[in-house]
Amino acid sequence: MAYNHELCSCSSGIGHRSPLQGHSTAKLAATSCASAQLLSLCADDQLWRKICNSTWPSTTHPTVRDAISAFPSGHRSFYSDSFPAVRCHQSQATHKTRFPDTSELISAVDIYYDDKLVYSKVLKTETLSGWFLCSPLRLDLLDRKETVTTPLKFDGEDGACTSLAAERLRVSWILIDPTKKRAVNVASMKSVEARRHWLTDDIQLRYATVVDGGGGELVQCGVVLSCGGKEGGDLQVREVSMQMEDVEGKTLTGLDSLRILESAMEEQRCKSDSEIEKDIYEMFLRTKVQFRERKLMRERNMDMACIAAGVSVFFAIWVFFLLR
């Protein structure tokens, strides 16, 4: 039964992260339902390893391979965690307040131009130090002065480079918890936002998923890809980073991020759809604007109350001295 559940989980999330892989996985899931023998063949870990390796080349790295080998059903469990999207919903329940027992996070990151891999890397992040737990979480993929060349050409501000990059560059950032043997892909299938940096003129692409932050709040897991270059030259990826941000615009600490990621890894998955992901991100932006407006209103009301109190005190003192 566990095999059937995981195969159906893979099938329900198909379709958009990689159309070819989604189509083949759908056939695999359908074939597994035909008989117990076919189910056994379709549950073969070597078969799922090849699917994972072709979908995410970073899974061939020894660190990722060792982590996946400890998953309940190996590569099949990893695929069912990483391929579908995390279901976004607002829960009034708060996340567990206990101290996370995760000792490290593994990031398996792949960057594509159309369906062609242009860069792949694996990061290991220690999560037990006080610095990590108390500081705002930011994971940087590239080393200082490291760049990644893409087939696109960089143009001026009025050119079509921004829209082309948004359409053709794709990022997958899978976070793996080797302690709990779970994984989650925190990058959206396509960029949900593309803009030029006001100072450097670099193109900034955001690949974001919105997850439950607990207590009725939403949190954005954002992967930001910054790229630029000389006009007429190759477009180069200069920076790729991952952060988690709440509706106040505040970057979450490592401790808060771990708690939310733990919940996201356990969350129910749903079918991946780039349009839905963009709609959810825009809803998150509207929520940020509404929060900012409410905050400004509260501050304005507080200012008015303080002014009224000051005027009242001044008037009372004036009347007191007038009547003496």
Side-chain angles (χ1 to χ4, degrees), residues 231-251:
E231 189 165 347
D234 293 332
L235 182 70
Q236 295 183 328
V237 178
R238 295 173 172 174
E239 185 178 279
V240 186
S241 62
M242 196 285 288
Q243 291 181 301
M244 300 185 70
E245 180 184 294
D246 62 15
V247 291
E248 297 183 51
K250 181 177 64 176
T251 302

Side-chain angles (χ1 to χ4, degrees), residues 85-127:
V86 178
R87 185 169 64 90
C88 174
H89 76 289
Q90 290 176 282
S91 171
Q92 296 300 320
T94 56
H95 291 311
K96 301 172 185 177
T97 56
R98 65 178 179 80
F99 194 83
D101 54 3
T102 301
S103 60
E104 68 176 4
L105 284 176
I106 300 172
S107 298
V109 188
D110 300 288
I111 302 175
Y112 306 86
Y113 175 78
D114 289 336
D115 287 328
K116 180 182 178 182
L117 181 73
V118 295
Y119 189 78
S120 182
K121 190 173 183 178
V122 172
L123 297 176
K124 291 178 67 175
T125 306
E126 182 272 329
T127 61

Side-chain angles (χ1 to χ4, degrees), residues 35-92:
S35 69
Q37 185 177 5
L38 287 175
L39 172 61
S40 177
L41 291 174
C42 292
D44 179 62
D45 188 66
Q46 291 300 314
L47 176 62
W48 285 100
R49 178 180 61 80
K50 292 178 180 178
I51 293 175
C52 288
N53 291 170
S54 60
T55 307
W56 307 290
S58 57
T59 57
T60 61
H61 192 281
T63 299
V64 179
R65 191 171 61 240
D66 291 345
I68 294 176
S69 66
F71 276 50
S73 298
H75 287 82
R76 183 158 45 87
S77 294
F78 176 80
Y79 190 93
S80 64
D81 271 356
S82 305
F83 192 85
V86 178
R87 185 169 64 90
C88 174
H89 76 289
Q90 290 176 282
S91 171
Q92 296 300 320

Side-chain angles (χ1 to χ4, degrees), residues 133-150:
L133 295 171
C134 299
S135 301
L137 175 66
R138 177 186 169 101
L139 303 180
D140 288 293
L141 181 67
L142 303 181
D143 297 328
R144 187 173 298 180
K145 296 185 178 180
E146 182 182 8
T147 60
V148 178
T149 301
T150 72

Side-chain angles (χ1 to χ4, degrees), residues 250-282:
K250 181 177 64 176
T251 302
L252 301 185
T253 64
L255 179 58
D256 291 337
S257 299
L258 281 179
R259 288 171 175 162
I260 291 171
L261 286 171
E262 179 180 325
S263 177
M265 289 178 181
E266 296 172 354
E267 188 58 76
Q268 186 178 4
R269 302 299 197 266
C270 62
K271 183 177 180 179
S272 299
D273 188 299
S274 59
E275 293 301 322
I276 292 177
E277 286 179 332
K278 189 167 185 177
D279 288 343
I280 292 174
Y281 176 72
E282 290 174 350

